[in-house]
Amino acid sequence: MKRSRYESYAYEGCPVEATLELFSGKGKGMILYHLLSGTVRFNELKRRLGTVTQRMLTKQLRELEAYGLIHREVYPEVPPKVEYSLTETGRTLEPILLALKDWGEEHALPTLLKEKRVVEFDES
């Protein structure tokens, strides 16, 4: 599990930073966003994310599980079947994730596109 960036979250505004820390990391926001639509198997999640390696995806999923945001279900069959879904706590992030998506489309992507730091994407 990654270490917290701060020793204390006892100051005003710290809950914002604490929240961001839980889902900051390579692909965590996208993982949570894709789980909004329901239960997803590991390989399907990896396909949807595209740029995240299997090792990094596994690491991020473990952290999200440790934070109680996602549930991992392993089925005892060959080959192994593993599914991920949001927990009740993770589900409470839905309005926040959708707001971040909307804000990103309106503000972040145009800024980053202007700076040529991202490639345009197609949601289809």
Side-chain angles (χ1 to χ4, degrees):
M1 174 102 69
K2 76 177 186 179
R3 288 184 29 205
S4 292
R5 289 184 274 187
Y6 302 97
E7 289 182 29
S8 171
Y9 290 97
Y11 304 100
E12 187 170 342
C14 284
V16 172
E17 196 63 33
T19 302
L20 291 172
E21 188 167 323
L22 288 187
F23 59 90
S24 69
K26 191 163 190 155
K28 280 185 185 171
M30 290 190 304
I31 291 167
L32 292 167
Y33 177 79
H34 286 293
L35 291 176
L36 288 175
S37 61
T39 301
V40 180
R41 291 181 67 175
F42 181 88
N43 285 329
E44 176 59 25
L45 199 50
K46 186 172 182 312
R47 268 191 297 283
R48 289 183 188 183
L49 298 180
T51 60
V52 178
T53 65
Q54 183 166 333
R55 182 173 181 249
M56 183 56 70
L57 177 56
T58 299
K59 178 181 183 282
Q60 303 300 32
L61 288 167
R62 284 183 183 152
E63 287 181 11
L64 290 168
E65 184 182 12
Y67 294 146
L69 299 176
I70 66 169
H71 172 72
R72 178 177 186 256
E73 183 75 35
V74 181
Y75 295 90
E77 54 188 58
V78 178
K81 177 180 168 184
V82 181
E83 294 180 334
Y84 294 90
S85 59
L86 292 173
T87 61
E88 278 189 46
T89 302
R91 181 77 36 210
T92 65
L93 288 169
E94 184 169 3
I96 296 164
L97 293 168
L98 294 176
L100 284 170
K101 179 183 179 288
D102 291 343
W103 192 92
E105 288 173 351
E106 188 173 340
H107 301 287
L109 288 177
T111 300
L112 295 174
L113 284 168
K114 189 170 37 178
E115 295 176 8
K116 304 282 190 224
R117 292 178 55 190
V118 297
V119 178
E120 288 190 62
F121 72 99
D122 180 17
E123 282 194 49
S124 56

